[in-house]
Amino acid sequence: MDAVIKSFPPHAEKGPDATEKKHYMDKPLTARPSQEEVEAAISTLLRWTGDDIAREGLIETPARVAKAFREMFAGYDQSPEEELGRTFEEVQGYDDMVLIKDISFHSHCEHHMVPIIGKAHVAYLPDGKVVGLSKIARVVDIFARRLQTQEAMTAQIATVIQNVLKPRGVAVLIEAEHMCMAMRGIRKQGSTTLTTTFTGVFKTDFQEQARFMTMLRDKHG
């Protein structure tokens, strides 16, 4: 299996520990077309493929695709910042790494709108408070359910956790297969892309980076 490894900074504008609010931390506001306009657009695409939109199997396809898109791109109606809003300070002095491994996700490439399928691994070093583990997975899901590049998604997850929870550091690693490589273009099935983003202590302390990577490899870590 081929692997492409990329390390991506949290955001090109300010850097990993910036407090300036980024647009992707809110629910994006866009003027959506009507249901009728969406179904008409899908019908046009179906005709463009060369198929007969009047045949039985395609009659309900525009409505089904519109419904599927609402589900697959539900992240535009959700705020990752709100998901991280409730924290817990009764941690009994715990200040070591919290690592959530193997968070599976399905996203879509913003260049070709074909699937990106992979797993995210997220760790942070608490600074007096923690967040529910499911909230981290929800943040991954929110960003995944938007048109994405893997590099941007990796940085967005790290930045929103850093800015909202304000831990001593965040580490994010995403490994994914891109259908734009497997289904079209060079058509290389099984190629995996790895991207990482580190903030705070994880960025400055290479021993912490190494511990994060070791815990990912350790099945019992």
Side-chain angles (χ1 to χ4, degrees), residues 2-207:
D2 298 327
V4 180
I5 303 177
K6 301 178 182 180
S7 184
F8 199 73
H11 203 275
E13 294 176 3
K14 290 286 185 178
D17 300 314
T19 57
E20 180 182 329
K21 199 169 188 178
K22 306 298 190 296
H23 70 280
Y24 53 80
M25 291 175 66
D26 287 319
K27 301 174 186 177
L29 300 176
T30 58
R32 284 194 171 102
S34 67
Q35 181 76 15
E36 292 74 18
E37 289 174 310
V38 171
E39 292 186 21
I42 296 167
S43 293
T44 298
L45 286 174
L46 289 172
R47 288 193 292 108
W48 186 82
T49 67
D51 213 324
D52 177 9
I53 64 171
R55 69 179 179 85
E56 182 181 11
L58 293 182
I59 291 175
E60 300 298 326
T61 295
R64 286 192 294 258
V65 172
K67 182 179 180 181
F69 268 41
R70 272 300 180 103
E71 180 180 349
M72 291 187 294
F73 299 110
Y76 288 110
D77 293 318
Q78 299 167 315
S79 167
E81 184 178 25
E82 289 178 4
E83 285 294 331
L84 297 171
R86 184 182 180 188
T87 58
F88 304 93
E89 297 186 5
E90 293 184 8
V91 295
Q92 307 300 318
Y94 184 85
D95 62 357
D96 206 347
M97 189 186 309
V98 177
L99 169 62
I100 305 94
K101 297 165 59 174
D102 298 324
I103 305 170
S104 61
F105 70 87
H106 295 79
S107 189
H108 284 79
C109 168
E110 67 181 31
H111 300 139
H112 302 101
M113 293 185 70
V114 293
I116 302 171
I117 302 170
K119 292 182 178 181
H121 313 282
V122 182
Y124 69 97
L125 292 165
D127 189 11
K129 58 186 177 181
V130 297
V131 69
L133 300 180
S134 65
K135 300 299 184 180
I136 300 294
R138 287 288 297 148
V139 166
V140 172
D141 198 42
I142 288 171
F143 284 125
R145 294 191 176 197
R146 299 179 181 182
L147 293 172
Q148 281 290 9
T149 65
Q150 183 176 330
E151 296 92 335
M153 180 177 164
T154 308
Q156 289 165 2
I157 293 169
T159 301
V160 74
I161 294 172
Q162 181 67 52
N163 287 359
V164 177
L165 295 186
K166 302 191 185 313
R168 291 179 291 119
V170 179
V172 178
L173 185 149
I174 291 180
E175 49 184 326
E177 183 176 4
H178 293 244
M179 293 302 104
C180 59
M181 287 182 62
M183 298 169 59
R184 57 165 302 281
I186 60 174
R187 297 181 182 177
K188 295 294 184 182
Q189 289 80 23
S191 294
T192 302
T193 299
L194 304 181
T195 50
T196 60
T197 292
F198 300 105
T199 73
V201 174
F202 282 111
K203 185 172 183 178
T204 59
D205 189 335
F206 294 113
Q207 289 186 336

